[in-house]
């Protein structure tokens, strides 16, 4: 017995394929309808979600009908109410300004008609290639707002409209508009006068306008990036978060060492907000990785400065895993619960092996020091003395504390010596050899009475980074230094018992200890003076560097062409008149 398989197709309305006019409006689900109103009475629209609107019902004409937009569309609509400030009765040039604002998107020509007896206007902008309704809605609204138009009911509305993202607890439909050429709807000529209208004349004007318009994808994407998010379902702190991410991402690479930071910001925006900014479902797994890679490769400076192009997919996968197992959640997720760590042992082990934040910061700091040393070596300008070398490295924006912590990368005494070798060298140093630059703590000494408090604290200070020659000069001049005289006098008048020397030591041993203490005191005083001077110099250099970086950043904002960034740069320039920036011509 043969069983025939039956394919159950999704229910569709009966289409009148010969009706080209109705074919212009193919999306018929969740349509609106209303009985024909009495003169002067407001139309009361209702939504029908149980079945789609069919051609035959529209042709019957027993009611007024309107349609919504699907995922893609071949047209957009501008609605100007009769009482709007943008109606030709109040502003005869408003429609021309609207058309000029949409022209950069590729929307060049339109079909104008009255919406009803109320004398409201509908401007249809058809185009050739179907576009995402979500993206087109945001781009059209942003273009009009940037031109100074206010989108609000009763004044100016756009279809498809920017709508909030749909969650499980709320529906999200595009607004519906009434179909043209129903009761009270007529085509307008170039003078804005109603003319006799039928479906064929409407189709002719539609096709003519469609031939002249084609949405430019590059301009569309650029407009999406500049859109003000508070109108599109994001507000408050989330809006600031999006704008901050855009400000960091869209400038792309401007130098070396920025890949890790940029990939992190790209990942956050793609994971948290992509479905809000571009429509569709939230991104996970391979889709998230693909978006991260595509965004990174499209940014300015990627080819010139990104040193991880050969492994960009691998780095994107690492960042995707990190954020999917972090406390971040995708915007619109009502649960807002931190994600549980995955139960996959292999994936957990891979995540545990990723460097921590402190490790990444440590690695970045050491890389900056290496880069600065390499730059000085290439310029043949690496100072020999440690103090001069310290001052030179401060000019690269590296903190003094970081230089002390990582002195094995730059200090002449430690440069190129392993940690074990340094430890061995320190262990073999004579504790009383005052000619060594980095002496360990002095031997345990019992004093009958305490020395000066300041001298005691200096003996416990960190090891000096001054040169060996400096230590020798200090010892040689110790007897002539006034600061040494007081210290030595105090030491000579003090009964000293040293653990390093046997009881009853002669005066020569006491003199050696006294000279050692005197030399340590002088060295510590000189070290403090050098440290204070270096700190002051570092603060001045740091302030100048930060000021110069901010000036360069504002200059990039002015050159970006982004109206939001340019406005921020102009405001900064007004508050800092002494730091002039070049305004674009």
């Amino acid at each position: 017995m043969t069983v025939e398989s039956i394919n159950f197709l999704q229910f569709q309305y009966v289409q009148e394929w010969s009706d080209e006019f109705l074919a212009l409006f193919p999306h018929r689900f969740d349509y609106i309808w209303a009985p024909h109103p009495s003169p002067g009475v407001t139309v009361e629209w209702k939504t029908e979600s149980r079945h789609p609107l069919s051609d035959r019902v529209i042709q019957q004409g027993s009611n007024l009908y309107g349609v919504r937009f699907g995922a893609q569309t071949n047209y957009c609509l501008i609605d100007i109410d009769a009482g709007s400030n943008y109606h030709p009765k109040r502003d005869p040039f408003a429609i021309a300004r609207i058309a000029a604002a949409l022209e950069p998107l590729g929307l060049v020509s339109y079909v104008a008609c009255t919406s009803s007896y109320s004398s409201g206007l509908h401007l249809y902008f058809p185009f050739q290639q179907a576009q995402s309704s979500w993206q087109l809605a945001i781009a059209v609204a942003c273009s009009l707002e940037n031109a100074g138009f206010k989108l609000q009911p009763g004044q100016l509305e756009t279809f498809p409209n920017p709508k909030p993202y749909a969650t499980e607890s709320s529906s999200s439909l595009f607004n519906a508009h009434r179909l043209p050429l129903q009761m009270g709807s007529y085509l307008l000529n170039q003078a804005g006068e109603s003319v006799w209208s039928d479906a064929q004349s409407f189709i002719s004007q539609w096709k003519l306008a469609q031939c002249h318009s084609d949405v430019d994808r590059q301009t569309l994407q650029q407009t999406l990036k500049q859109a003000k998010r508070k109108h599109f379902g994001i507000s408050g702190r989330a809006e600031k978060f999006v704008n901050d991410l855009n400000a960091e991402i869209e400038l792309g690479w401007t130098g070396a060492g920025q890949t890790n930071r940029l990939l992190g910001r790209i990942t956050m925006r793609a994971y948290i907000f992509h479905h809000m900014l571009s429509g569709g479902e939230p991104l996970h797994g391979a889709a998230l990785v693909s978006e991260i890679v595509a965004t990174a490769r499209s940014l300015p400076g990627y080819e010139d400065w990104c040193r991880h192009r050969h492994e960009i997919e691998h780095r994107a996968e690492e960042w995707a895993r990190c954020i999917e197992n972090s406390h971040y959640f995708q915007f619109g997720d009502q649960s807002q619960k931190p994600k549980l760590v995955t139960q996959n042992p292999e994936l957990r082990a891979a995540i545990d092996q990723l460097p921590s934040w402190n490790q990444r910061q440590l690695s970045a700091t050491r890389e900056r020091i290496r880069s600065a040393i390499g730059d000085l070596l290439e310029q043949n300008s690496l100072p020999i003395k440690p103090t001069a070398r310290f001052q030179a490295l401060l000019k690269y924006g590296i903190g003094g504390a970081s230089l002390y912590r990582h002195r094995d990368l730059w200090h002449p005494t430690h440069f190129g010596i392993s940690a074990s070798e340094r430890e061995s060298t320190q262990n073999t140093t004579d504790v009383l050899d005052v000619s060594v630059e980095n002496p360990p703590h002095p031997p345990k000494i019992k004093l009958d009475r305490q020395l000066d408090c300041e001298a005691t604290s200096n003996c416990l200070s960190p090891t000096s980074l001054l040169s060996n020659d400096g230590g020798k000069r200090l010892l040689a001049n110790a007897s002539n230094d006034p600061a040494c005289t007081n210290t030595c006098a105090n030491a000579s008048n003090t009964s000293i018992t040293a653990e390093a020397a046997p009881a009853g030591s002669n005066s020569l041993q006491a003199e050696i200890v006294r000279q050692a203490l005197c030399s340590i005191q002088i060295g510590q005083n000189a070290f403090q003076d050098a440290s204070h001077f270096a700190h002051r110099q570092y603060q001045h250099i740091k302030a100048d560097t930060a000021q110069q970086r901010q000036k360069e950043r504002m200059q990039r904002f002015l050159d970006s062409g982004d109206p939001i960034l340019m406005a921020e740069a102009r405001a900064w320039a007004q508050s800092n008149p002494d730091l002039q920036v070049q305004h674009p011509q």
Side-chain angles (χ1 to χ4, degrees):
M1 180 178 180
T2 303
V3 180
E4 296 182 358
S5 61
I6 303 176
N7 294 327
F8 292 94
L9 301 177
Q10 183 181 4
F11 172 74
Q12 294 183 348
Y13 58 87
V14 177
Q15 292 180 316
E16 300 293 342
W17 298 106
S18 61
D19 196 327
E20 291 185 81
F21 173 74
L22 295 181
L24 300 177
F25 310 98
H27 188 77
R28 304 292 179 80
F29 292 93
D30 299 296
Y31 68 92
I32 60 174
W33 69 278
H36 290 286
S38 301
V41 177
T42 303
V43 177
E44 297 183 0
W45 293 101
K46 301 177 183 179
T47 299
E48 178 57 73
S49 302
R50 294 171 296 181
H51 56 81
L53 177 63
S54 69
D55 288 357
R56 292 180 179 180
V57 172
I58 299 175
Q59 291 172 339
Q60 187 182 47
S62 58
N63 293 294
L64 297 175
Y65 297 101
V67 296
R68 302 182 189 272
F69 291 83
Q72 291 190 318
T73 179
N74 282 91
Y75 72 96
C76 64
L77 169 65
I78 308 298
D79 181 15
I80 305 174
D81 282 7
S84 170
N85 291 332
Y86 309 125
H87 195 276
K89 294 179 180 179
R90 291 175 175 79
D91 186 350
F93 303 107
I95 293 180
R97 289 177 52 220
I98 291 174
L102 299 181
E103 185 174 349
L105 291 176
L107 303 176
V108 178
S109 186
Y110 59 88
V111 179
C113 65
T114 57
S115 59
S116 64
Y117 286 122
S118 66
S119 298
L121 301 180
H122 281 180
L123 307 179
Y124 290 89
F125 287 83
F127 41 86
Q128 300 178 27
Q129 298 295 327
Q131 303 292 330
S132 166
S133 299
W134 174 274
Q135 295 184 359
L136 182 68
I138 296 177
V140 170
C142 180
S143 298
L144 292 176
E145 287 185 333
N146 288 344
F149 293 96
K150 299 299 181 182
L151 301 181
Q152 60 186 48
Q155 291 291 323
L156 185 66
E157 295 182 79
T158 60
F159 299 84
N161 62 295
K163 62 173 184 175
Y165 176 68
T167 62
E168 294 181 358
S169 59
S170 64
S171 60
S172 181
L173 297 174
F174 288 109
N175 292 341
H177 68 86
R178 71 164 71 198
L179 290 170
L181 303 189
Q182 298 183 100
M183 189 61 66
S185 177
Y186 302 98
L187 289 170
L188 300 177
N189 59 19
Q190 294 183 351
E193 301 171 342
S194 299
V195 296
W196 168 251
S197 310
D198 57 14
Q200 192 57 44
S201 58
F202 187 92
I203 293 172
S204 298
Q205 291 195 28
W206 182 284
K207 290 183 177 180
L208 182 62
Q210 191 175 42
C211 291
H212 295 159
S213 299
D214 191 11
V215 175
D216 184 80
R217 290 294 303 172
Q218 182 176 0
T219 305
L220 177 64
Q221 294 299 325
Q222 184 64 29
T223 306
L224 290 175
K225 296 175 183 177
Q226 299 175 1
K228 294 182 179 180
R229 308 302 176 192
K230 62 183 179 180
H231 297 293
F232 311 133
I234 304 178
S235 59
R237 289 181 297 176
E239 178 193 358
K240 183 180 184 302
F241 192 13
V242 172
N243 290 331
D244 290 347
L245 290 175
N246 288 340
E248 291 199 63
I249 294 172
E250 297 308 324
L251 288 179
W253 278 260
T254 57
Q258 299 176 351
T259 299
N260 201 49
R261 172 79 176 181
L262 280 173
L263 285 182
R265 290 299 185 243
I266 293 170
T267 303
M268 293 176 70
R269 187 178 71 176
Y271 180 74
I272 301 172
F273 295 110
H274 182 269
H275 56 285
M276 293 293 302
L277 307 181
S278 302
E281 295 296 324
L283 298 180
H284 299 277
L288 177 60
V289 173
S290 298
E291 177 64 22
I292 296 170
V293 173
T295 302
R297 287 174 173 169
S298 67
L299 291 178
Y302 172 79
E303 295 293 337
D304 297 330
W305 295 107
C306 181
R307 299 176 179 175
H308 300 273
R309 296 191 303 274
H310 62 286
E311 57 173 358
I312 191 67
E313 291 85 359
H314 176 66
R315 298 296 301 276
E317 290 175 359
E318 291 179 340
W319 273 107
R321 285 199 302 268
C322 286
I323 200 167
E324 287 181 332
N325 290 278
S326 70
H327 65 281
Y328 289 103
F329 56 90
Q330 291 160 328
F331 195 88
D333 182 4
Q334 298 301 313
S335 62
Q336 299 185 1
K337 295 180 180 178
K339 295 183 166 27
L340 298 176
V341 178
T342 177
Q343 300 300 318
N344 188 330
E346 295 181 359
L347 186 55
R348 289 189 62 182
I351 294 174
D352 293 339
Q353 292 176 1
L354 292 176
S356 65
W357 184 88
N358 288 334
Q359 291 172 335
R360 294 197 302 268
Q361 292 294 106
L362 178 65
S363 177
T365 300
R366 294 181 67 84
E367 180 62 28
R368 289 171 60 195
I369 297 175
R370 292 192 187 99
S371 177
I373 290 293
D375 186 57
L376 291 172
L377 289 172
E378 289 180 0
Q379 299 177 16
N380 198 23
S381 59
L382 181 65
I384 299 176
K385 299 293 184 180
T387 302
R389 188 174 297 184
F390 180 87
Q391 296 290 342
L393 292 173
L394 288 177
K395 297 179 181 180
Y396 285 83
I398 305 172
S402 298
L403 290 175
Y404 281 111
R405 190 177 302 112
H406 305 287
R407 55 184 178 273
D408 59 298
L409 298 177
W410 65 272
H411 194 276
T413 304
H414 304 276
F415 193 47
I417 301 177
S418 64
S420 60
E421 292 174 339
R422 290 198 305 273
E423 183 177 358
S424 175
T425 303
Q426 290 180 359
N427 291 337
T428 58
T429 303
D430 187 359
V431 296
L432 294 180
D433 185 4
V434 294
S435 64
V436 178
E437 176 197 0
N438 293 320
H441 296 309
K444 296 181 180 179
I445 298 175
K446 298 180 181 178
L447 303 179
D448 290 344
R449 62 186 180 84
Q450 294 292 332
L451 294 175
D452 182 73
C453 182
E454 179 178 357
T456 304
S457 63
N458 286 339
C459 292
L460 300 178
S461 299
T463 55
S464 174
L465 290 176
L466 297 176
S467 64
N468 293 332
D469 293 339
K472 292 180 180 179
R473 286 197 302 272
L474 291 175
L475 179 61
N477 298 330
S479 60
N480 297 327
D481 194 298
C484 180
T485 303
N486 295 333
T487 305
C488 294
N490 291 335
S492 64
N493 295 329
T494 303
S495 176
I496 302 176
T497 303
E499 294 180 2
S505 298
N506 55 31
S507 59
L508 178 60
Q509 293 174 322
E511 180 64 15
I512 293 175
V513 173
R514 184 186 65 80
Q515 290 185 5
L517 291 175
C518 180
S519 178
I520 292 173
Q521 172 65 33
I522 295 173
Q524 295 297 338
N525 290 341
F527 172 74
Q528 285 187 345
D529 293 340
S531 298
H532 292 162
F533 174 79
H535 180 70
R536 290 194 300 270
Q537 291 295 105
Y538 167 69
Q539 294 297 333
H540 289 305
I541 295 172
K542 182 179 180 181
D544 293 341
T545 302
Q547 193 176 64
Q548 181 63 26
R549 287 181 176 176
Q550 181 67 1
K551 179 179 177 181
E552 294 173 355
R553 182 168 179 259
M554 292 299 106
Q555 185 64 56
R556 290 196 300 269
F557 280 12
L558 284 174
D559 298 337
S560 67
D562 187 323
I564 298 177
L565 298 181
M566 293 178 68
E568 180 179 346
R570 293 192 183 99
W572 178 86
Q574 292 178 358
S575 60
N576 298 273
D578 296 334
L579 301 174
Q580 297 295 329
V581 294
Q582 299 295 326
H583 293 273
Q585 300 297 328

